[in-house]
């Protein structure tokens, strides 16, 4: 960092300036790992420690790692879905085969996602290390937690995030919030993996709370959470979000093996019909509160269709759901959420 910038920060923001002060390798090792026998640790733990020693600044080290993890996992999962979509063989499992996404839409989506990542998430990710320290989460420390503890913590984060997302997402469908925030995400009535984070920056910030506040909440009660566990959780959560927007439901998709897993089939319907299916990972909130009634009615009609008429019935159902969705969206934009419930299933008309 240039001397002028450092002088400025030291004068006006000494706490921030401290975060840019780097140590040499020996100083870092003594400060961070003075009482740890690194030789006794496994390869991954030694590599983790070496990275923090090499960076010489834990705040920067955590910030860079968190940002890169997010970019690599998000695009690493979303791009293969674009490739799959370009291969006709896979179209037999496309949920809405009649809808096509143009190159212009893909570029627009990429630009919005990157803009949000760099302007909105990058500064916040840089604050991640100090916040983790504040809540007592281990960051540079080694060794890591046991596999069993990690699995239990991640299971809790999944359940918490799903609950948070369900209610926050329903809130975002309330008229003014929908109109000013959530509408952008619904531009895709047939979503693609890349569109998982195609959303207004405020929506990204609100819904990200479900992902990151679970770990911080956990830290209020127990002091045994390591940031590596949080990284694994974020990776799984990103995979879940991208896959839910993929637009594909394969016979080997997770929801066929875990009945309460939502999957693309569930969230795709939310984009197609605008209403129903508000949760992310699991189906229990929508099921318990009846916000999946239309989805089940649609699935039932599809299942009842004779094999030779299936494609025709499917196209009709998609058209009907899309029309109902457009009408429901129009009503929300006009006057609040209650109108959604007044749409008669199957007619697209208000009761
Ligand atoms: Zn929505
Ligand atoms: Zn979505």
């Amino acid at each position: 960092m240039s001397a002028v910038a450092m002088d400025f920060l030291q004068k006006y923001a000494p706490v921030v300036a401290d975060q840019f002060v780097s140590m040499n390798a020996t100083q870092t090792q003594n400060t961070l790992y003075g009482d740890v026998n690194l030789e006794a640790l496994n390869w991954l733990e030694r590599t983790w420690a070496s990275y923090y020693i090499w960076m010489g600044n834990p705040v920067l080290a955590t910030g860079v790692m968190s940002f890169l993890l997010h970019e690599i996992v998000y695009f690493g999962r979303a791009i293969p879905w674009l490739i799959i979509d370009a291969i006709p063989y896979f179209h037999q499992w496309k949920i809405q085969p009649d809808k096509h996404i143009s190159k212009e839409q893909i570029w627009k989506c990429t630009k919005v996602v990157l803009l949000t990542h760099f302007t909105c998430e990058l500064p916040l990710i840089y604050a991640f290390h100090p916040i983790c320290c504040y809540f007592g989460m281990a960051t540079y420390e080694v060794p890591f937690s046991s596999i069993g503890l990690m699995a239990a913590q991640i299971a809790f984060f999944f359940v918490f995030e799903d609950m948070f997302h369900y209610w926050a997402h329903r809130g975002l469908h309330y008229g003014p919030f929908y109109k000013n925030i959530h509408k952008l995400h619904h531009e895709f009535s047939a979503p693609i993996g890349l569109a998982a984070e195609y959303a207004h920056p405020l929506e990204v910030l609100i819904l990200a709370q479900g992902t990151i506040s679970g770990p911080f909440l956990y830290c209020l009660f127990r002091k045994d959470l390591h940031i590596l566990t949080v990284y694994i959780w974020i990776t799984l959560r990103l995979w879940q979000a991208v896959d839910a927007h993929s637009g594909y439901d394969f016979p080997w998709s997770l929801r066929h093996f875990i009945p309460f897993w939502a999957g693309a089939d569930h969230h795709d319907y939310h984009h197609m019909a605008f209403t129903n299916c508000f949760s992310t990972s699991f189906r229990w909130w929508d099921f318990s509160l009846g916000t999946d009634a239309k989805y089940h009615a649609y699935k039932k009609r599809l299942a009842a269709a004779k094999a030779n008429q299936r494609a025709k019935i499917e196209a009709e159902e998609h058209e009907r759901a899309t029309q109902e969705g457009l009408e429901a969206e129009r009503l929300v934009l006009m006057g609040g959420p209650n109108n959604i419930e007044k749409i008669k299933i199957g007619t697209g008309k208000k009761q």
Side-chain angles (χ1 to χ4, degrees), residues 216-261:
F216 291 136
L217 193 70
Y218 178 93
C219 286
L220 293 179
F221 297 95
R222 288 178 65 104
K223 298 291 172 204
D224 56 6
L225 179 60
H226 196 284
I227 201 169
L228 176 71
T229 313
V230 178
Y231 284 163
I232 296 170
W233 149 239
I234 290 173
T235 301
L236 295 173
R237 164 76 183 111
L238 283 170
W239 285 356
Q240 178 276 323
V242 171
D243 289 3
H245 288 88
S246 67
Y248 283 85
D249 182 43
F250 296 124
W252 55 88
S253 293
L254 201 55
R255 72 150 188 121
H256 296 288
F257 304 97
I258 305 175
F260 53 84
W261 184 256

Side-chain angles (χ1 to χ4, degrees), residues 29-41 45 49 140-143:
Q29 182 155 358
N30 291 338
T31 310
L32 302 184
Y33 305 106
D35 55 350
V36 182
N37 178 12
L38 295 176
E39 296 308 310
L41 301 172
E45 289 161 340
Y140 61 82
E141 290 91 339
V142 278

Side-chain angles (χ1 to χ4, degrees), residues 114-125 200-202 204-205:
L114 280 174
L115 191 71
T116 315
H117 286 184
F118 277 91
T119 57
C120 197
E121 290 178 17
L122 185 60
L124 285 177
I125 282 176
H200 189 285
L202 257 180
V204 174
L205 289 180

